[in-house]
Structure formats: structure tokens, C-alpha cells
Amino acid sequence: MSTVAPVAASSGAALPASSHPLLRGAIFPTLLRLSVPNMVAMGMAVLVAVAETYYVGRLGTTALAAMALVFPLAMLTQMMSNGAMGSGVSSAISRALGGGDKNKASALAVHAIVIGGVVGVLYSLLFVLCGAVFYRWLGGQGQVLQAATEFGSVLFSGAVLVWLCNTLASVVRGTGNMKLPSAILFGVSMVQIAIGGGLGLGLGPFPRWGMQGVALGNIVAMALAVLLLLWYLLRGQDKLQLRGHGAALSWPMFKDILRVGAFACISPVQTSLAALIFTGMVARLGPQALAGYGIGQRLEFLLIPIAFGVGVAAVPMVGMAMGAGQVQRARSVAWMGGWLAAAILAVLGLLVLIWPSAWSGIFTQDAQVLAYANLYLRTVGPVFGLFGMGLVLYFASLGAGYVRGPVLAGTVRLAVVMAGGAWLMLGGAASVHALFILVAVAMALYGVCTAWVVWRTPWQRN
């Protein structure tokens, strides 16, 4: 890796700081306009999750329990590549464009793709080779452990494609374009549902490959998305020029992305570690409790993509405002996005509080599994709004380049999970209901602490 001199300025490289639409428009309408395409795409991601859980549910309780072991690690892939490192990519590019430097934005895009490819390969190797160890740590045994290992081996072999897809989408979002990546992800999600269901259940002309077939649907969809996003960046736009051939790599460019993205990756690790701890504790209470928790937990993890729809729209708005020196506008975007997500997720929480079976009944008819899933939803649903606010403020902080506070809030959540879980398990009070109450307390604390640190942290132009 060599450090080279900056690329010489070319025609059109400099932009007036105030010329970009994200720096001129009224905040709420602009934020809503950018959020809607993401919400539609994330809504399709929710549908994919529902469909995959439905397919696996048709394969039996053992398959559902196995999926509950793999799911937190699969979501970690998405949260790190899309929410954390991806937002670091969007933040760096949007700050460069906000400062009027298109050449730097283009160079950052190339460096982002290198990061996504390298980390993706390492991620695939780790979870393909060591997946069984992780599932065993989580309490997987016998047929459940075997099913989880086989499913995870196929799913995580495509993790590098997930990293590349989300990195490329984040590059496009950093320019302020939310519609294109959302449209592509919407389309490939439909492909994933069709292929995953066909191969998983043997529908139509497809062979019945069970859980491995469901995983293959994800791999095919991600490969298609990577090709489409690459084509767009190379041929379909002029906001930045992706110069892959002969591009020299520079540590300052990597540093501009990693100083936000790498540190931000701590947060999804904390979130997933908290989920893994809960999964391990619930697994010791039996496969039905684990399957029920897995159904409820899947909805909890789907809050992240919903909040992501708002949060990822806030990242370039905040980043460009910070790059242009409009700090007050950046903070207004952050808080407006936080309240918007809180309202959306509070409504969702109210719905599952009143009608939990509308979600859990999709996946199983086992009375005991349904009871556990409904108990989880009724216990955790009331704090969905606080959790959503915390997530969007986390994304907005990435756009501003101030990530330490939200990561500290995630540390508080993890500490409560570890301390509370240890007290319940060692004290013999680890009932399913007690564990679910601990989930709710930890989520609420995350939202409150994140809001407090953002309120107390003065942002300044980087």
C-alpha cells in the first residue's frame, strides 16, 4: 500500500459548499424524502426475514431453533457492513462533497471497496471455519447444533458479497442518492424470496435443499446486487467517478473512513454480543423457549433495518452539513430523525403489544412456542420507540464523525445485560419472563443514554 500525492483537480471537481440540495432544502421534508426509499427497501428486507423464517418454520422446531443460533451472527454481518462501516463510508464521502471536493470523494469510494472486500473475505473465513464453535457456545447441541452448522456454513460463505453490496450501496448513499440502492435492494430481495423458498422447500422446478437452499437465495441476491451497483458507479452517474484501474491507495484515505467506520463497528458487536448472551441463556431453558425467543428476537432485530431507513438518510445530510460548516443544521437533522424513528417504532411496539400473534403466528402453531414468543413481544414492545431513537442518533453521530458517545451508550447496554444475566443465572432466578424483562430494560437504557450523550456532545466541523 503506497501513499501518493492527491489527484490533480479536474474540471467540475470543486462545488460551492451550499450548492448541494441536501444543504438547502427544509430539513423535515428532505429527510422524509430520503427516508422513504430506504424504508421501502427495508420493508422488503422485513418481508425477506418473514419469508425465510416461514420457510424454516415449515421444516420444524429443530430448524427454527437452529436459525435462532445463526441469526444474531447473520445480523451482525448486516449491521457491521451496512450500519457501521457503511455509514463510515457514507459519512466520509458526504463530508468531502459538502466541502466541495469531488476528487476526494471519488478516491474514498475506491478505498471503501477495498475495505469491504478484505473485511468480507475475513468475515467469511471466520464464520465458515469456526461457526460450529460459536453455536456450541450459545448452547447448541445435537440436531440443533448440526442444523445450525450446516446452515451457517452456506450462509456465511457469501458474507463477502454482503460486505461488498453494502459498501457499494453506502458509496451511492454518500452522494445523496437513496433511490438507486433502495431500488436495487428491493429488486434483489424479491429474487432472494423466490430462490430461497424454491430451494428451501422444493417449490416448482427447484430441488428441496432445506435450510441450505434458503441460504443460497441470499448468496444469489447479494451477487446480483453487487453487479448492478458496480455497473451504476462505473457507468450510470456523474456525482463521483469510480477510478478502479490504476488507482493508488493512500493511508489518509483509509483513515478518513476507518476513524468513523472501524470504531462504529464496536456498536453492532455490542448489540450482537448482547443478543448472543440472551440466546445462550434462553437455550438452556429448552428448544421451545429458544424457538419462541428466536421468533420474537427476529422482530427486535428488524427494528434496526426500519430505523436504518431514517438513520441512513440522516448520515449524508449530517455529513454534508458538517463538511460545509453548518453544524446547527446537522444537529437539527439528527434530532428530527431520532423523533421520527421513535414515533414509527413506538407504533410498531403498540401493535405487537396488543396483537403479538399477528407476528408470532406466522411462523409456528406450536402452542408453547407461541406462548414464549408472545410473552417476549408484550414485554419488549413498549420500549421499541426509545430503541429507535437511539439507533437514529447513532447513525447521525456517524455522519458528524462523533461516534464515541453512542458506542459508550452501547457499552452501558451490554454491561446491564452481562450483569443482569449473571445475577439471574447464578441466583437461580433465570425464568423466561425475567430474561425478557432484562432485554426491555437494556434496550430502554440504550435509547436514553444515546440521546443524553448526543445532547451533551458539542459537534464541531472536522
Side-chain angles (χ1 to χ4, degrees):
M1 189 181 302
S2 59
T3 302
V4 296
V7 181
S10 60
S11 176
L15 294 171
S18 62
S19 67
H20 200 284
L22 298 192
L23 297 173
R24 297 196 317 265
I27 292 175
F28 186 76
T30 303
L31 182 64
L32 198 59
R33 175 175 57 82
L34 295 178
S35 298
V36 168
N38 296 323
M39 290 182 184
V40 172
M42 293 305 105
M44 180 56 72
V46 171
L47 185 58
V48 169
V50 172
E52 289 184 340
T53 308
Y54 174 83
Y55 302 150
V56 173
R58 302 285 73 78
L59 301 176
T61 299
T62 296
L64 270 177
M67 191 177 199
L69 294 176
V70 177
F71 186 66
L73 299 176
M75 282 305 301
L76 179 62
T77 316
Q78 289 288 346
M79 289 188 294
M80 290 184 71
S81 60
N82 213 358
M85 189 66 74
S87 292
V89 170
S90 293
S91 173
I93 289 175
S94 63
R95 280 184 278 112
L97 291 175
D101 195 341
K102 286 181 66 176
N103 283 329
K104 182 179 180 181
S106 297
L108 285 167
V110 174
H111 288 72
I113 294 170
V114 173
I115 292 172
V118 171
V119 177
V121 169
L122 295 176
Y123 199 98
S124 287
L125 290 173
L126 175 64
F127 287 104
V128 169
L129 297 177
C130 304
V133 176
F134 296 127
Y135 311 139
R136 190 177 294 110
W137 285 349
L138 293 173
Q141 299 177 6
Q143 292 183 336
V144 172
L145 176 60
Q146 180 180 352
T149 302
E150 292 172 353
F151 176 57
S153 294
V154 178
L155 183 68
F156 290 120
S157 66
V160 61
L161 294 172
V162 176
W163 272 88
L164 285 173
C165 170
N166 290 331
T167 299
L168 292 167
S170 297
V171 169
V172 178
R173 293 188 187 109
T175 68
N177 184 344
M178 302 291 161
K179 292 182 180 179
L180 189 280
S182 295
I184 289 176
L185 293 176
F186 185 94
V188 300
S189 293
M190 296 179 67
V191 172
Q192 182 174 344
I193 291 173
I195 294 180
L199 292 176
L201 302 179
L203 302 176
F206 294 104
R208 183 184 174 93
W209 286 349
M211 295 182 75
Q212 291 89 333
V214 175
L216 280 172
N218 175 265
I219 292 175
V220 172
M222 291 299 101
L224 179 59
V226 168
L227 292 175
L228 291 173
L229 287 165
L230 270 177
W231 178 87
Y232 173 77
L233 286 169
L234 289 170
R235 298 280 186 257
Q237 52 82 50
D238 60 1
K239 293 180 180 178
L240 58 79
Q241 299 299 316
L242 191 62
R243 304 182 183 93
H245 180 70
L249 302 180
S250 163
W251 169 244
M253 292 292 177
F254 283 120
K255 184 179 179 181
D256 202 10
I257 296 171
L258 293 173
R259 72 181 182 87
V260 174
F263 195 80
C265 283
I266 297 174
S267 185
V269 170
Q270 291 170 332
T271 299
S272 293
L273 184 55
L276 292 173
I277 291 171
F278 277 120
T279 301
M281 290 188 291
V282 176
R284 286 157 177 81
L285 301 179
Q288 289 180 315
L290 179 60
Y293 169 67
I295 291 171
Q297 180 202 42
R298 171 147 288 212
L299 180 60
E300 176 195 335
F301 270 111
L302 293 178
L303 301 181
I304 296 171
I306 293 172
F308 177 84
V310 179
V312 77
V315 170
M317 287 188 70
V318 170
M320 288 192 187
M322 294 296 290
Q326 300 178 18
V327 177
Q328 186 55 49
R329 179 181 176 87
R331 292 185 68 85
S332 297
V333 170
W335 285 108
M336 203 164 290
W339 284 112
L340 177 61
I344 294 171
L345 295 190
V347 171
L348 179 60
L350 179 62
L351 292 175
V352 298
L353 177 66
I354 299 172
W355 299 294
S357 294
W359 173 263
S360 57
I362 297 172
F363 310 113
T364 182
Q365 297 304 313
D366 185 304
Q368 192 60 54
V369 174
L370 275 173
Y372 284 129
N374 290 347
L375 178 62
Y376 178 88
L377 294 172
R378 286 197 173 104
T379 304
V380 179
V383 302
F384 282 178
L386 283 173
F387 190 56
M389 172 172 280
L391 287 173
V392 172
L393 290 176
Y394 160 76
F395 283 117
S397 297
L398 298 187
Y402 288 87
V403 68
R404 288 178 175 82
V407 169
L408 180 61
T411 304
V412 171
R413 180 190 182 197
L414 180 59
V416 169
V417 169
M418 295 176 68
W423 179 72
L424 290 173
M425 298 299 291
L426 296 177
S431 67
V432 173
H433 195 198
L435 290 175
F436 291 173
I437 290 174
L438 182 59
V439 174
V441 170
M443 289 175 66
L445 274 175
Y446 172 75
V448 171
C449 290
T450 303
W452 185 82
V453 296
V454 171
W455 176 60
R456 294 290 297 173
T457 302
W459 289 356
Q460 296 178 348
R461 181 176 179 176
N462 295 316

